[in-house]
Amino acid sequence: MAETVLELRGVRKRYGGGASPLVEVLHGIDLTLVAGDFVALVGPSGSGKSTLLNLVGLLETPSEGEIWLASEPVHHASDAARTALRNRYLGFVFQFHHLLPAFTAEENVLMPVLAGHGRISPADRERARALLARTGLAAHAHKRPLQLSGGQQQRVAIVRALMNRPRLVLADEPTGNLDSHTAHDVFALLRELNREEGIAFLIVTHDPALAARCDRQVHLQDGRLLPPARADAPGG
Ligand SMILES: Nc1ncnc2c1ncn2[C@@H]1O[C@H](COP(=O)(O)OP(=O)(O)OP(=O)(O)O)[C@@H](O)[C@H]1O
Ligand SMILES: [Mg+2]
């Protein structure tokens, strides 16, 4: 059986309190991802997708419930431990790539290595170049973000997310600001990297065609996960 990379048990998230009213936006989420999973997280605007991703990404803490990464409970981790866990287990791809404009594509890709290990080894540089070549960016490694197209910038951001060999990549609308042709190319790249490196992906997308290309779709509605749709259900 594939190894569990992520487990959420009864996760709730509330905002506010004090002067502002307390609002619960996630009402008890249970979710498991195993190694190599390729999962779409879908749901209407405001349903809690980004909140869920931010909790899994250790950018926020749950109000109740448990979050496990691999076999480590992380819901009570200190700030320092969370930073270390993020570097060890997770990669992030956002709708807007957040590449550093003053640095080349290759330097941007190497940033997480520098942040995680404090230095860059020749092997790291080789992996960066190989991944950039793998994603069709060999000729662009020494360009800065503004000299690249939107799709190329997003591919650099994807390579950056993979540098530290994460177990799980969290992607919040990774193709949200790309035209549909480029979006499909970028999505196909995520899929290939998922298969080649065995990395699990949890991908928020509003595009039903892209969601349909995932192994599994999980639907959030008003802060709750809907039961999985069954292929053999009547009328479905
Ligand atoms: N920091 C915050 N403080 C208070 N409420 C918040 C906060 N962050 C999110 N919310 C609320 O939580 C709910 C879920 O927001 P979230 O951003 O997770 O939705 P989403 O599914 O990602 O939506 P979209 O598809 O528009 O990106 C919304 O009602 C939002 O207003
Ligand atoms: Mg969102």
Side-chain angles (χ1 to χ4, degrees), residues 15-16 25 43-52 60 172-173 206 220:
Y15 288 113
V25 300
S45 181
S47 58
K49 303 179 299 294
S50 293
T51 303
L52 184 58
E60 297 197 44
D172 199 348
E173 308 235 25
H206 279 288
L220 250 186

Side-chain angles (χ1 to χ4, degrees), residues 20-40:
S20 51
L22 194 63
V23 183
E24 185 169 283
V25 300
L26 292 176
H27 315 291
I29 304 291
D30 298 308
L31 178 67
T32 304
L33 263 69
V34 300
D37 254 347
F38 197 73
V39 178

Side-chain angles (χ1 to χ4, degrees), residues 157-175:
I158 290 166
V159 168
R160 179 181 57 182
L162 296 179
M163 266 311 289
N164 281 344
R165 299 178 193 275
R167 308 268 190 94
L168 172 62
V169 170
L170 303 171
D172 199 348
E173 308 235 25
T175 60

Side-chain angles (χ1 to χ4, degrees), residues 62-134:
S63 308
E64 267 181 58
E66 298 180 2
I67 302 178
W68 294 65
L69 283 178
S71 51
E72 289 195 54
V74 299
H75 42 281
H76 290 315
S78 68
D79 282 352
R82 300 159 80 78
T83 302
L85 287 161
R86 265 200 300 275
N87 276 320
R88 181 139 40 100
Y89 286 123
L90 300 172
F92 295 88
V93 182
F94 299 100
Q95 178 172 1
F96 300 100
H97 50 71
H98 303 300
L99 297 174
L100 299 171
F103 294 88
T104 67
E106 186 177 304
E107 288 164 348
N108 267 283
V109 161
L110 286 164
M111 281 306 164
V113 179
L114 200 57
H117 307 285
R119 58 181 285 273
I120 291 163
S121 72
D124 294 326
R125 210 168 277 282
E126 205 166 297
R127 176 167 168 82
R129 288 188 184 148
L131 280 171
L132 284 168
R134 168 74 195 69

